[in-house]
Amino acid sequence: VLTLRNEEAGLEYAEKCYLLGRQNNDPYLIYCGAISMARNLCLNRKMEEAWRYTREADRLSKRYDFKNRSDIYNTYGEIALEAGDYMKAGLYYEQAIREHGFSQAAYVVSTYVGYGRALIAQKKYKSALEKLQIGKEISEKNHFTVPAGSLPVAFSLLRSVR
């Protein structure tokens, strides 16, 4: 569940999911709620809370051996990117790429887009173009568009700074 920046509905829904998981002692529901909370809090620039929920999801993922570990690293990367720590974001995205074995294609594309944005911010344009191109190829191969046009926006950003 994602929301738009400064929009509370997605955050409220993520919190309900998280609290329902707590109420029912359901680790996977808590995990899903925590990841959604983290992403929504990040979009709303509440970084400390976003880190806290991501760390909780990370602990649950390890404890219960949830297979999609790349989602955790992707979320860490998103938060670091929004916080302006582009080097750290890149490291998280690299780890997400290594962990993509159980990921849906949309998450993989999201990882490459985020990584590309982190590289653009570091003025590593050739590497950014390579990552964005990989994301584009995965997107086209799986016949879907990336939410909110993030891939075209990233390519546009790259063109504007080169």
Side-chain angles (χ1 to χ4, degrees):
V1 175
L2 284 179
T3 185
L4 301 173
R5 205 176 298 272
N6 298 321
E7 189 268 315
E8 297 294 322
L11 185 58
E12 289 172 13
Y13 184 80
E15 185 175 35
K16 285 179 182 177
C17 176
Y18 177 79
L19 293 174
L20 183 63
R22 285 257 175 235
Q23 179 182 349
N24 292 312
N25 199 26
D26 182 332
Y28 190 70
L29 196 53
I30 297 168
Y31 166 84
C32 291
I35 280 291
S36 293
M37 286 289 293
R39 288 189 172 135
N40 282 287
L41 289 163
C42 177
L43 285 170
N44 287 292
R45 308 289 300 155
K46 297 177 181 175
M47 299 313 197
E48 286 306 313
E49 289 179 84
W51 285 115
R52 184 172 54 83
Y53 278 100
T54 306
R55 284 190 297 270
E56 181 175 3
D58 193 1
R59 284 190 301 275
L60 287 168
S61 175
K62 289 175 183 171
R63 181 175 179 193
Y64 293 98
D65 196 29
F66 298 150
K67 299 299 181 194
N68 187 4
R69 295 280 306 144
S70 68
D71 198 21
I72 297 289
Y73 293 111
N74 207 25
T75 304
Y76 279 135
E78 289 172 18
I79 298 167
L81 185 63
E82 280 293 318
D85 193 342
Y86 307 119
M87 181 98 49
K88 185 184 275 186
L91 294 173
Y92 284 129
Y93 287 126
E94 285 175 9
Q95 186 65 32
I97 290 168
R98 285 193 290 276
E99 300 277 345
H100 273 314
F102 292 94
S103 295
Q104 296 175 9
Y107 289 119
V108 178
V109 173
S110 178
T111 300
Y112 281 102
V113 170
Y115 198 1
R117 289 179 52 218
L119 291 166
I120 290 168
Q122 295 175 67
K123 299 183 181 355
K124 296 179 180 178
Y125 303 123
K126 184 178 181 202
S127 295
L129 182 59
E130 291 168 3
K131 300 304 180 208
L132 293 172
Q133 192 60 44
I134 292 169
K136 180 177 180 272
E137 289 168 7
I138 294 168
S139 179
E140 289 171 348
K141 178 181 170 189
N142 289 279
H143 307 289
F144 67 89
T145 57
V146 179
S150 58
L151 192 55
V153 169
F155 271 112
S156 177
L157 177 61
L158 182 60
R159 283 188 201 101
S160 71
V161 295
R162 286 179 49 182

